[in-house]
Amino acid sequence: HGKWRDENGRKDFSVKSRSQLKAIFVRHSESTGNAADLVKGTSEYPLDAKGKRESQAIGPRIARFKPTVVITSPLSRAKEPAKQIAKAAGVKLKVDRGLLPQDFGTLEGTPRKTGEPKIRRLAMRTPDKKMPGGESTTAWDGKASRAMRRVKRIVSNGGRPAVVTHSRNLRELSHHLFGGKFKDPTRGGPEPSGFVTWSGKKKLVIHKGAAKS
């Protein structure tokens, strides 16, 4: 089988054939919260101008994977690109609250530079303790794990879901899908409108976003 290629003929995907692909996990498009470099969590931040362009571009790009269903977080920064993917692929769009990021409470809306060290410390050292005004890492992890089990059931039944969610969730894909080690909640994962492909048994590959500034 040949490599998959993008609309300009460049090598785009590392999977060798569509039959190997199980699911696609997409990070939401850029929001005003991303542009301002804020802790976002479950707070609503609309797409900025760049995010709107990314949202339009991601639809046909992910549609080439031939998803059988699109599942999204209810937050608008995820739901808007999810609508574009579902429209381009001609499949149903479903909303799953288990794809929400962790509720960081009063830390949401604060600069990442000051907020993320606090999040990292609480998540890694005291996961059962609630974020100030929010939820504990353990509570969020349970909801996110159940959402990924629902995704895995779709895959086991022959489907190929495209899942639109958040950086917090994508950083823990290995943990939630395969039981891998819990990771730093503030580092890694794809950029806005970037995505992760799951192929083979446990192969996760990060791909760049769909649109430039």
Side-chain angles (χ1 to χ4, degrees):
H1 300 278
K3 296 284 188 179
W4 291 13
R5 296 183 179 273
D6 67 12
E7 59 273 13
N8 297 312
R10 295 187 297 264
K11 187 171 71 173
D12 195 24
F13 311 118
S14 63
V15 289
K16 292 184 178 180
S17 71
R18 296 185 182 186
S19 62
Q20 292 178 308
L21 185 66
K22 295 182 181 295
I24 313 99
F25 301 91
V26 184
R27 186 178 175 187
H28 64 80
S29 300
E30 182 169 283
S31 70
T32 55
N34 292 106
D37 206 26
L38 302 177
V39 173
K40 296 173 292 300
T42 57
S43 295
E44 274 284 11
Y45 289 96
L47 299 183
D48 63 6
K50 181 183 177 184
K52 290 176 181 178
R53 293 194 299 273
E54 290 175 341
S55 183
Q56 292 291 327
I58 198 68
R61 189 174 186 189
I62 300 302
R64 290 201 305 277
F65 284 109
K66 304 296 182 184
T68 57
V69 65
V70 179
I71 311 168
T72 183
S73 154
L75 296 182
S76 63
R77 60 185 183 269
K79 199 171 181 180
E80 289 307 310
K83 288 178 180 177
Q84 296 298 324
I85 297 169
K87 180 180 178 181
V91 298
K92 289 184 178 180
L93 174 66
K94 297 182 179 181
V95 176
D96 188 336
R97 293 188 62 81
L99 296 174
L100 282 166
Q102 188 171 352
D103 183 349
F104 296 126
T106 58
L107 293 174
E108 294 181 7
T110 64
R112 287 177 57 210
K113 185 176 180 180
T114 55
E116 286 191 343
K118 298 175 183 177
I119 290 170
R120 187 182 307 120
R121 184 172 60 252
L122 283 168
M124 303 300 286
R125 296 182 183 179
T126 54
D128 293 335
K129 186 176 180 179
K130 289 184 178 180
M131 297 285 166
E135 67 182 334
S136 72
T137 298
T138 299
W140 169 80
D141 184 54
K143 291 187 292 187
S145 293
R146 289 190 290 275
M148 287 302 152
R149 285 200 292 271
R150 290 190 285 272
V151 169
K152 290 176 75 174
R153 279 199 295 271
I154 293 172
V155 172
S156 65
N157 288 329
R160 180 183 291 157
V163 180
V164 188
T165 184
H166 305 267
S167 59
R168 180 71 180 93
N169 307 62
L170 294 173
R171 287 168 182 147
E172 302 298 344
L173 271 183
S174 180
H175 169 62
H176 291 148
L177 290 174
F178 316 131
K181 185 179 179 181
F182 196 78
K183 295 183 178 180
D184 185 330
T186 63
R187 296 175 180 171
E191 61 194 10
S193 272
F195 58 97
V196 180
T197 51
W198 170 24
S199 59
K201 289 186 177 180
K202 296 183 179 182
K203 186 176 182 181
L204 297 174
V205 179
I206 295 176
H207 304 269
K208 293 182 179 180
K212 297 181 179 180
S213 300

